[in-house]
């Protein structure tokens, strides 16, 4: 199945590249775009894993809607190039180090596991596997609760977004306007050491 | 192709939905929506009075329904085994509802709902509660994760609701970022567990371990356990994943802090118990020691961290870290007694902390020193009705006898000795010795405050007025807060002397999880 | 293509995401990194689903997509609120609560 | 009434007196307190006589009457009753104690007349007499120890009676502590006896002793030596003697009663009482004999140079007790107790005379300032001289017979005891010398102003000052009141001194070699068990002894006469010639300095070391500070990592994750 | 008779609560009444106590917390009879002392006094290990408030130190106790902390060792003994006098009582295992306490360190594992309490007459116009230094005899402590009462109520000195039963070392 393998490597490299791009690139704009690349690559991998529906969802919802939202916010805030210079120091060193350590451990876990199936292409599956029909059926039967809760979660998230992002006239009147300069008066306490 | 589709369609049959067991959740969901709608009304009455009233009503209904379900004791997982409606989940959800009620009462005069809008604030709160209940009931990995997120996401918002206050936003952001890292880790862990066990159902995972061909020492499984442990430890602020706790607790509006302190912990430990004692129960020999170490670490860190605090919210945050360590001991032993002890201590913990936080709320609203220790000087003579609850809460947290805290600790130590973790019991004891330093300091400040008391070193930053300072509120103008404090302090004493009711419930909860030692 | 390959790949993505969280100071980018970590989880889930030939893994992944979206929304909301309060959009600047 | 009930009466009277005088201290008018106290003592003296009479009715072998009031403490194998033992020895002691005490009470009525602490004084005095009688009547070791400690306490109270005097309180604490050392010795001894013989009653122990112990059994010797520690502490024998001279800080009658006549002889009584044990442990007996002899020599030598009148008599007391100890240690029980009795008479007499003189001197005690009181106070002069003669062992005086009997018995034992005997005679010479040194220096020569004053008919009144340090007294608690008392002026003092003078002269008749052996015979029932019961020096030997004694005493009195009457100043020459010797003696053989360097300072050092170093550095610094330090360190660490930097938190999270996973990976393999 | 003890136990607390609701100024009298009720009951008990009868009398035994096997189990036997009596005797004068003075927040003050008595009584009467610990820790709460709220000097620091120090001991004991309960559960048995039950059950010797050690830690801190007395100086300096009297007289006894009630009978092997160590600690405390005592200048501290020495004697007596020794220890517990209360009240009197000064350097010569005070002080001093004729002498005699029996050398070393006691007590007495009048001291005698507070206890001391057997015979049987097991075990182990040569 050379075709599959090639596809895997292409997509895999794409995904990794996208991920690295997200982390490495200075400009948030480019990071977002890198993520888009990453997502698309992932979608391909999903396809390789017989998750057609998810692949589609990935492209449409994620790479589409969510990323657009991102871009709007970045545009709104003005994606300033952040100076990476200050990011040296212990964090700059240890951060990647520990992360890498975790990665190695995870790989060990996968490789060393006694599960035979890991080394296979996976169980035999019917053609309907990962197709919208199956997903839909599962969502509405076995995973009803998860589905409903997720929908409720979306509602809550919307409310939260509203709370956080809406301009509130009421408060400006009450004088508790945003901005550090107008914070409540601070005071220092004399404290005995 | 076509016939395949028909085949699938013909197989598809609607799941049995047990509305009775589901009713509390439905009530919550509905309540949250209704509250949101009512909150959109213009009239101040609707927003300031009706909304809290309705939310409280929702919770009361939920409580009623929960009791109703509990009374008729059939305990089957419902809806294709997505939710477990048993004594554990019901008991914990009771605690959560109570915490929610308290939060609503404490929020009555708080600033946060004003800023966020009462409707939104309360519906978010109810949403979070719903998430907690789902989490407590979760019987499979997906429900667990979604419940966790439904718990967290509203809380991220609620922490940040006092938008004009920098620390509030900071708290929100920190909580969000660290929280997401935590849940991502959890997710990955769950994925690995799923991969190892081939099933999402706790029961089936346990069965797989029990002889379904999955060895308890499989690296994949254990790594999965490790990652999910990290995720849950983060939620229940167990060291070394605790660091968000003090900052978030301090930054968040105090009523929300109260809610997080008691409710989140309850839900997190509920799922901790369910996942580890039920799904991973047979791997206890593997994860027991690791969690025991974490518990000890947590006890130490939490207590020594609290010593240095002047801000009471921050101190209570650290102490809640320590308490998490105590609670974890009950999980570690993986025995029925452990489950009981944990459940018991969760209830006790609720009582003590609510009493303490209520007093903090009452003080910080009137004192221009916010929640700093100095704001409590001479409370004993000025406002004994606030000083006494605080004193009782502190003594109980420190584990003095004749308070519920003592019995709770007794129970936990009993459990850990029983489970051959005597040294963990000793750790609990040593921890409570250290904790005396800061608990007694509060008492001293309140009763002996006219005399110089050794305060912890100068805070690194200026002490600033903390959350919720609403000018119109003064001591007499907020009877409900004092009432909460007194009520819960009284309960602390009562259950310290006559704990049998709690033990009844705890025993019931302990029996919820099958096949435990 | 063996399942384990996908898993290792997902592990790499997870690690990259974590590394990003540890190194980047721009909250927007940090949010992106969180997305990476979640996606890694998704990939693992789907791979396992394929391995077991069991749909629930995919369902989980689907749910996670929803959750990821919600987190993003809230995260962006907070960032916007910070911006409204003229707070610096820099994680290291948000370190007033400490000790 | 039976002898025992008389015995109880003996104890009850002083208690009653104590209660009345102490509780009624405010109510009692004038000198009534003194009279009540004296009456109480008279009461117990009469009861003692009653006991004597009643006891004599019993046949000789039944003269050990024990009577128990109630169980004092009984647990496990220990059984102690509150019981008294009436036998010749205890009755004899009762008579001596009660008799002398009565006279001294009477004397005190006048002597302490002007003292603010009048009632307190008599309360203490009664307490003392009670304790002393309890001591001699006790029927078991525990009760003995009780009485033993009580007399110590009473003596402490009376020594520091004028408690505004720094010297007095210092002397008091010294005496008390030394006595406690003695008590501890007795306690341990009591335990050893209990553990071996299983009881603590005298009779029981003595019964069991021969079976329980072999001759010179280690435990027994230890027990006896510990008993000796107690005895020596009480009787001011080497090396526990240093408190006695300082005890002279107390009022003079106290010195007469406690520190001459009665308490200090308790040691002698104890050794005599425990004779069966000592005879089983000859080593211990010999040690005590040697110590007694050494003490008597040392004390006599010091008495030669001391100039404080009372201290001279104190040292002489020590040396006389040396004789007694020697006596009872060489199994000359009769002789030792005989000397105890006569010594009580003449030494009490001497102190009374001294008190009278000191009264005349307005409290001054230094002989250098005295002289020529012969005409001024003839009565005192006569009585004092009689006392001195008796002390010097002048022929036919009481002391003459008693002392020589002791020495005769000693020599009769032969062997090494000969040396002791000879030392005894040597000391006798010194005794006679310093006795008359006192007489000549105080009563002869040029009358000092105080003497003239007295001749002119009124008593000198000086500013009361502490004779030891010379600092003015804080008269608040009444150092011998504003007015002083001399025998010449007050009936009671005469009434007390006259009988004693008489007894000092004729006291010897109870045991004149060849003529009478009343005392011996009377004490027989107690000592008949003694191995040496029928070994006694031949009359010839005794007579030779008497002759030698007579010659020695007369000779050294003569020497004293020459040195202090004829050729005054020779003393100065001698002092200049033998400076070393003199300073050695006048520093009392440097015992105080030794103890100061050996015990007092080290203890004080240890105390301040404990307070300064151990408390602060170890207990507070190490234990407390250490534990808190650890917590502090932890706290600052927890704060240090709580930087507030989100990414740092994330870092720790990842680190923890890595660690956890690592653990599980290890666990998995 | 079940009501009996519960009434005794909760009478003070009830009156304390009553006082809290009564109008100001009444609290003191209501609490005083409560203490008198307890005293009355104690006397009744003393009267109808049957010395011969073994086992518990007036036993109460109800379920309290079934889940944890904790029973509400009270009882009195010869061992704790006199501890209860001591508590009753000590609380009355101290409450009276407090009642004749003005306090701010008087209600709280007297409520705490009352709560304290209830807690102490509970600890003494508890026959269930967990119940004992409950009261043992509860004790600290009232004293924490009393010292911190009404003390002098750096009182908050002192009280915090006191509580943390003591609790660190007793919480470790809590863990040990739970371990004891759990480990001793026989197969299929129920968890139980009832002492009687625990005595019947057996605990593996290995775990006995560390459990005993933790118990000892708690009790030594409470006592206190040498290395663990770090809380003593500050606490004694800043505690109000009546509270201090109670602290030193009664609280210090709870710990050593615990040895006899719990450790020896329940864990004989463990006790025997550490016998040597504990004796060494005891002896060292005796010497160290005495030596430091006579180098102290503050009267309170003199008595403080003297108590360390006294407690040393008690522990020595207990761990001599000998009948006489144990008897002596029990008797000495009573005696020390009885003399320390008047001693501290007298210190209070003295301080009142010297402008608050408690330094020997500034005191002196007070006896002149205060003969009664001087006399009482003298008697208590003599009793404290265990002068023969005082009950303390009998106590120490028995202790020493017990120690000599098997541990002669330690006994001899300890008896040096008797001499040292004489030194520091006489020094104390003289420093206050004798010598020249101190610069700030003025001499005036006891007032009527002061006398009423001090004199009765002194009278009791004197009476016991005349008839000690009164106590000995009543406490004998129970005491011997308590140590029997450990003693037997010790005899089976110990060779001839250190015993008197036959």
């Amino acid at each position: 199945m050379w075709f599959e393998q090639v596809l895997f490597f292409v997509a895999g490299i794409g995904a990794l590249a996208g991920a690295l791009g997200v982390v490495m690139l200075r400009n948030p704009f480019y990071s977002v775009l890198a993520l888009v690349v990453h997502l698309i690559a992932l979608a391909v991998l999903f396809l390789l894993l017989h998750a057609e529906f998810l692949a589609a969802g990935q492209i449409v919802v994620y790479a589409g809607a969510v990323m657009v939202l991102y871009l709007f916010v970045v545009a709104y805030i003005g994606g300033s190039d952040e100076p990476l210079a200050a990011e040296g120091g212990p964090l700059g060193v240890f951060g990647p180090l520990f992360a890498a350590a975790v990665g190695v451990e995870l790989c060990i876990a996968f490789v060393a596991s006694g599960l035979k199936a890991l080394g296979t292409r996976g169980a035999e599956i019917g053609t309907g596997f990962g197709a919208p029909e199956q997903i839909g059926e599962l969502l509405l039967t076995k995973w009803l609760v998860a589905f409903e809760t997720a929908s409720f979660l979306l509602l809550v998230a919307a409310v939260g977004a509203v709370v956080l992002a809406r301009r509130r006239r009421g408060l400006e009147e009450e004088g508790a306007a945003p901005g550090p300069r107008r914070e409540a008066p601070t005071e220092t306490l004399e404290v005995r050491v | 192709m076509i016939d395949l589709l028909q085949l699938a369609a013909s197989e598809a049959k609607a799941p049995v939905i047990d509305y009775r067991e589901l009713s509390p959740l439905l009530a919550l969901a509905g309540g949250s929506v209704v509250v949101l709608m009512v909150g959109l009304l213009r009239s101040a009455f609707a927003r300031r009075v009706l909304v809290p009233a309705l939310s409280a009503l929702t919770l009361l209904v939920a409580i009623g329904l929960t009791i109703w379900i509990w009374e008729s004791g059939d305990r089957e997982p419902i809806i294709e085994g997505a939710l477990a409606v048993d004594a554990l989940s019901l008991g914990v959800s009771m605690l959560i509802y109570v915490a929610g009620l308290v939060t609503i009462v404490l929020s009555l005069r708080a600033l946060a709902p004003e800023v966020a809008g009462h409707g939104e604030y309360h519906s978010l709160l109810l949403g979070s509660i719903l998430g907690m209940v789902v989490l407590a009931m979760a019987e499979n990995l997906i429900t667990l994760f979604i419940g966790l997120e439904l718990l967290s996401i509203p809380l991220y918002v609620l922490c940040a609701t006092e938008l004009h206050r920098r620390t509030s936003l900071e708290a929100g952001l920190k909580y969000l970022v660290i929280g997401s890292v935590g849940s991502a880790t959890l997710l990955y862990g769950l994925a690995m567990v799923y991969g190892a066990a081939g099933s999402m159902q706790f029961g089936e995972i346990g069965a797989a371990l029990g002889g379904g061909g999955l060895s308890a020492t499989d690296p994949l499984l254990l790594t999965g356990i490790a990652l999910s442990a990290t995720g849950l430890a983060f939620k229940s602020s167990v060291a070394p994943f605790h660091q968000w706790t003090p900052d978030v607790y301090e930054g968040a509006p105090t009523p929300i802090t109260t809610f997080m302190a008691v409710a989140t912990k309850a839900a997190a430990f509920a799922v901790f118990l369910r996942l580890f004692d039920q799904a991973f129960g047979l791997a206890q020999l593997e994860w027991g020691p690791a969690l025991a170490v974490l518990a000890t670490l947590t006890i130490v860190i939490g207590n020594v961290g609290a010593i240095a605090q002047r801000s009471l919210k921050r101190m209570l945050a650290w102490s809640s870290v320590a308490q998490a360590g105590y609670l974890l001991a009950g999980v570690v032993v993986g025995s029925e007694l452990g489950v009981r002890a944990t459940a018991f201590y969760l209830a006790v913990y609720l009582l003590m902390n609510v009493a303490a936080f209520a007093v903090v709320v009452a003080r910080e609203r009137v004192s221009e020193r916010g929640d700093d220790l100095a704001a409590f000087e001479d409370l004993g003579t000025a406002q004994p009705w606030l000083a006494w609850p605080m004193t009782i809460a502190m003594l109980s947290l420190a584990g003095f006898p004749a308070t519920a805290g003592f019995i709770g600790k007794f129970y936990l130590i009993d459990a850990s000795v029983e489970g051959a973790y005597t040294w963990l019991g000793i750790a609990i004891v040593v921890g409570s010795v250290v904790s005396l330093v800061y608990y007694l300091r509060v008492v001293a400040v309140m009763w002996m405050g006219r005399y110089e008391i050794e305060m912890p070193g100068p805070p690194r930053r200026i002490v600033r007025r903390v959350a919720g300072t609403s000018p119109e509120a003064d001591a007499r103008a907020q009877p409900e807060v004092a009432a909460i404090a007194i009520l819960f302090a009284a309960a602390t004493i009562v259950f310290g002397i006559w704990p049998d009711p709690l033990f009844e419930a705890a025993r019931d909860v302990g029996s919820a999880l099958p096949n435990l030692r | 293509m063996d399942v384990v390959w996908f898993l290792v790949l997902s592990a790499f993505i997870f690690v990259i995401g974590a590394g990003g969280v540890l190194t980047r100071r721009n909250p927007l980018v940090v949010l992106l990194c969180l997305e990476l970590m979640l996606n890694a989880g998704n990939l693992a889930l789907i791979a396992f689903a394929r391995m077991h030939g069991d749909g629930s893994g995919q369902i989980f992944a689907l749910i996670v997509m929803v959750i990821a979206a919600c987190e993003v929304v809230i995260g962006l909301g907070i960032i916007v609120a910070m911006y409204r309060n003229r707070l610096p959009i820099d994680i290291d600047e948000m370190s007033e609560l400490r000790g | 009434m039976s002898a025992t009930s008389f015995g109880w009466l003996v104890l009850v009277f002083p208690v009653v007196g104590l209660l009345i005088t102490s509780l009624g201290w405010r109510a009692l008018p004038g000198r009534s307190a003194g009279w009540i106290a004296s009456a109480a003592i008279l009461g117990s003296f009469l009861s003692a006589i009653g006991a004597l009479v009643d006891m004599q009715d019993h046949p000789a072998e039944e003269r050990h009457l024990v009577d128990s009031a109630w169980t004092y403490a009984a647990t496990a194998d220990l059984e102690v009753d509150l019981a008294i033992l009436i036998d010749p020895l205890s009755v004899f002691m009762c008579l001596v104690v009660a008799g002398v005490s009565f006279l001294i009470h009477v004397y005190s009525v006048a002597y302490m007349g002007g003292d603010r602490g009048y009632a307190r004084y008599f309360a203490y005095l009664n307490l003392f007499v009670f304790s002393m009688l309890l001591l001699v009547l006790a029927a078991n070791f525990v009760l003995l120890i009780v009485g033993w400690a009580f007399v110590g306490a009473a003596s402490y109270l009376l020594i520091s009676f004028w408690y505004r005097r720094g010297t007095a309180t210092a002397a008091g604490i010294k005496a008390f502590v030394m006595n406690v050392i003695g008590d501890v010795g007795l306690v341990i001894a009591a335990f050893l006896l209990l553990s071996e013989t299983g009881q603590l009653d005298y009779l029981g122990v003595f019964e069991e002793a021969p079976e329980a112990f072999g001759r010179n059994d280690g435990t027994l010797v230890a027990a006896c030596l510990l008993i000796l520690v107690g005895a020596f502490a009480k009787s001011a024998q080497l090396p526990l003697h240093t408190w006695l001279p300082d005890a002279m800080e107390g009022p003079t009658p106290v010195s007469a009663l406690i520190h001459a006549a009665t308490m200090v002889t308790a040691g002698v009584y104890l050794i005599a009482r425990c004779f069966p044990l000592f005879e089983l442990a000859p080593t211990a007996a010999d040690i005590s004999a040697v110590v007694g002899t050494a003490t008597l020599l040392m004390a006599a030598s010091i008495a030669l140079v001391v100039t404080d009148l009372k201290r001279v008599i104190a040292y002489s007391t020590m040396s006389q007790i040396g004789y007694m100890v020697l006596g009872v240690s060489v199994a000359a029980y009769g002789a030792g107790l005989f000397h105890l009795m006569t010594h009580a008479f003449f030494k009490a007499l001497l102190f009374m005379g001294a008190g009278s003189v000191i009264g005349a001197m307005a409290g001054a005690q230094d002989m250098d300032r005295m002289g020529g009181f012969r005409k001024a106070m003839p009565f005192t002069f006569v009585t004092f001289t009689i006392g001195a003669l008796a002390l010097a062992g002048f022929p036919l005086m009481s002391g003459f017979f008693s002392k020589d009997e002791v020495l005769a018995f000693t020599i009769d034992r032969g062997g090494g005891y000969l040396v002791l005997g000879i030392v005894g005679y040597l000391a006798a010479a010194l005794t006679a010398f310093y006795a008359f040194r006192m007489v000549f220096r105080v009563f002869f020569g040029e009358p000092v102003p105080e003497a003239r004053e007295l001749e002119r008919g009124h008593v000198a009144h000086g500013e009361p000052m502490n004779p030891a340090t010379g600092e003015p007294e804080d008269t608040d608690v009444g150092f011998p009141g504003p007015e002083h008392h001399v025998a010449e002026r007050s009936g009671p003092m005469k009434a007390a001194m006259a009988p004693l003078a008489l007894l000092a002269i004729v006291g010897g008749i109870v045991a004149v070699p060849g003529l009478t052996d009343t005392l011996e015979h009377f004490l027989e029932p107690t000592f008949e068990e003694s191995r040496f019961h029928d070994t006694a020096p031949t009359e010839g030997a005794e007579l030779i002894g008497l002759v030698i004694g007579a010659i020695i005493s007369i000779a050294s009195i003569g020497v004293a006469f020459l040195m202090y009457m004829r050729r005054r100043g020779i003393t100065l020459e001698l002092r200049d010639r033998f400076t070393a010797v003199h300073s050695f003696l006048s520093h009392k053989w440097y015992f105080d300095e030794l103890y100061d360097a050996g015990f007092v300072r080290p203890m004080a050092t240890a105390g301040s070391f404990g307070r300064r170093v151990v408390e602060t550095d170890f207990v507070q610094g190490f234990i407390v500070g250490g534990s808190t330090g650890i917590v502090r360190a932890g706290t600052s660490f927890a704060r240090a990592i709580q930087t507030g930097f989100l990414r740092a938190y994330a870092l720790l999270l990842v680190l923890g994750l890595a660690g956890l996973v690592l653990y599980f990976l290890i666990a998995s393999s | 008779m079940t009501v009996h003890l519960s009434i005794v136990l909760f009478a003070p607390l009830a009156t304390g609560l009553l006082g809290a609701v009564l109008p100001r100024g009444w609290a003191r009298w209501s609490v005083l009444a409560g203490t008198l009720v307890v005293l009355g009951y104690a006397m009744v008990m003393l009267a109808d106590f049957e010395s011969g009868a073994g086992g518990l009398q007036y036993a109460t035994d109800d379920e309290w917390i079934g889940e944890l096997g904790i029973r509400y189990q009270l009882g009195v036997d010869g061992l704790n009879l006199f501890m209860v009596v001591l508590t009753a005797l000590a609380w009355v004068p101290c409450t009276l002392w407090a009642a004749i003075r003005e306090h701010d927040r008087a209600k709280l003050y007297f409520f705490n006094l009352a709560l304290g008595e209830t807690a102490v009584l509970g600890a003494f009467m508890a026959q269930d290990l967990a119940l004992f610990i409950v009261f043992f820790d509860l004790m600290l709460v009232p004293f924490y408030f009393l010292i911190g709220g009404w003390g002098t000097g750096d009182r908050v620091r002192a009280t915090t130190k006191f509580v943390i120090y003591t609790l660190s001991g007793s919480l470790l004991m809590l863990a040990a106790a739970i371990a004891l309960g759990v480990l001793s559960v026989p197969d299929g048995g129920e968890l139980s902390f009832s002492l009687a039950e625990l005595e019947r059950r057996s605990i593996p010797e290995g775990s006995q060792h560390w459990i005993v050690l933790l118990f000892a830690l708690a009790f030594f801190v409470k006592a206190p003994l040498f290395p663990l007395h770090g809380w003593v100086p500050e606490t004694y300096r800043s505690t109000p006098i009546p509270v201090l009297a109670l602290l030193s007289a009664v609280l210090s006894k709870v710990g050593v009582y615990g040895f006899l009630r719990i450790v020896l009978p329940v864990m004989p092997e463990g006790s025997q295992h550490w016998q040597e160590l504990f004796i060494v600690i005891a002896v060292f405390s005796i010497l160290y306490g005495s030596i430091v005592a006579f180098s102290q200048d503050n009267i309170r501290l003199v008595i403080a360190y003297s108590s360390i020495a006294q407690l040393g004697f008690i522990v020595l007596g207990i761990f001599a594992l000998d009948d006489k020794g144990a008897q002596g220890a029990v008797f000495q517990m009573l005696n020390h309490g009885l003399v320390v209360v008047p001693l501290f009240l007298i210190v209070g009197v003295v301080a009142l007459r010297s402008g608050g000064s408690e330094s020997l350097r500034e005191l002196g010569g007070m006896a002149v116009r205060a003969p009664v005070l001087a006399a009482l002080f003298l008697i208590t001093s003599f009793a404290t230094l265990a002068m023969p004729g005082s009950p303390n002498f009998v106590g120490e005699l028995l202790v020493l005899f017990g120690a000599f029996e098997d541990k002669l050398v330690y006994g001899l070393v300890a008896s040096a402590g008797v001499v040292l006691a004489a030194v520091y007590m006489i020094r104390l007495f003289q420093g206050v009462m004798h010598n020249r009048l101190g610069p700030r001291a003025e001499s005036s005698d006891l007032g009527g109520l002061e006398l009423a507070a001090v004199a009765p206890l002194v009278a009791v001391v004197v009476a016991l000195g005349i008839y000690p057997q009164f106590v000995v015979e009543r406490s004998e049987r129970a005491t011997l039963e308590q140590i029997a097991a450990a003693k037997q075990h010790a005899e089976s182990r110990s060779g001839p070392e250190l015993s008197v040569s036959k």
Side-chain angles (χ1 to χ4, degrees), chain E residues 447-482:
Chain E
L449 283 170
E450 290 172 338
L451 189 63
V454 179
L457 283 176
V458 180
V460 175
V461 172
V462 173
L464 282 182
I466 297 170
Y467 185 43
Q469 182 64 9
F470 179 81
V471 176
V472 176
E473 76 183 348
R474 279 169 177 71
S475 61
E476 178 165 23
R477 174 162 180 170
T479 313
L480 301 194
E481 281 167 359
Q482 295 298 316

Side-chain angles (χ1 to χ4, degrees), chain E residues 268 272 321 483-494:
Chain E
Q272 193 277 337
L321 297 183
I483 69 161
K487 179 161 173 264
Q488 184 191 15
H489 188 74
E491 279 156 1
S492 67
R493 285 256 175 114
S494 68

Side-chain angles (χ1 to χ4, degrees), chain B residues 243-347:
Chain B
Q243 286 194 293
W244 60 277
T245 317
D247 296 3
V248 173
Y249 278 24
E250 184 184 359
T254 316
I256 298 304
T257 312
T258 318
F259 182 67
M260 283 194 291
V262 292
T264 314
K265 236 186 208 60
F269 270 100
V271 70
F272 229 132
L273 287 171
R274 203 181 286 282
L275 182 60
F276 277 74
D277 286 358
Q278 191 181 340
F280 306 151
L282 292 162
Q284 193 259 357
L285 289 178
E286 277 67 37
W287 54 260
L291 259 55
V293 172
L294 287 191
T296 317
L297 190 63
T298 314
I299 293 170
V300 173
I301 285 279
N303 282 316
V304 296
I307 290 179
Q309 303 310 329
R310 289 193 53 136
S311 147
L312 240 72
K313 278 167 78 177
R314 208 170 171 79
M315 188 204 90
L316 286 168
W318 279 105
S319 103
S320 85
V321 172
Q323 309 280 337
Y326 304 148
L327 283 160
L328 195 53
V331 180
V332 167
V333 295
S335 66
E336 181 174 347
L337 186 59
V339 178
R340 289 189 206 162
T342 315
F344 186 93
Y345 200 81
L346 278 173

Side-chain angles (χ1 to χ4, degrees), chain D residues 68 70-82 140 142 194 198-201, chain E residues 324 398 469:
Chain D
S68 161
W70 60 70
T71 310
Y72 185 69
T75 174
D77 54 354
L78 180 78
E79 169 81 48
V80 179
D81 282 10
L82 195 65
N140 57 50
V142 173
L194 174 73
Q199 24 199 340
L200 285 172
D201 300 348
Chain E
K324 292 193 287 305
L398 291 170
Q469 182 64 9

Side-chain angles (χ1 to χ4, degrees), chain C residues 51-74:
Chain C
M51 180 175 111
H52 294 296
D54 162 28
S56 5
Q58 296 193 3
I59 301 294
F60 202 158
L62 192 55
I63 302 282
V64 171
M65 284 187 192
V66 175
I67 290 168
C70 297
E71 275 185 2
V72 168
V73 168
I74 300 301

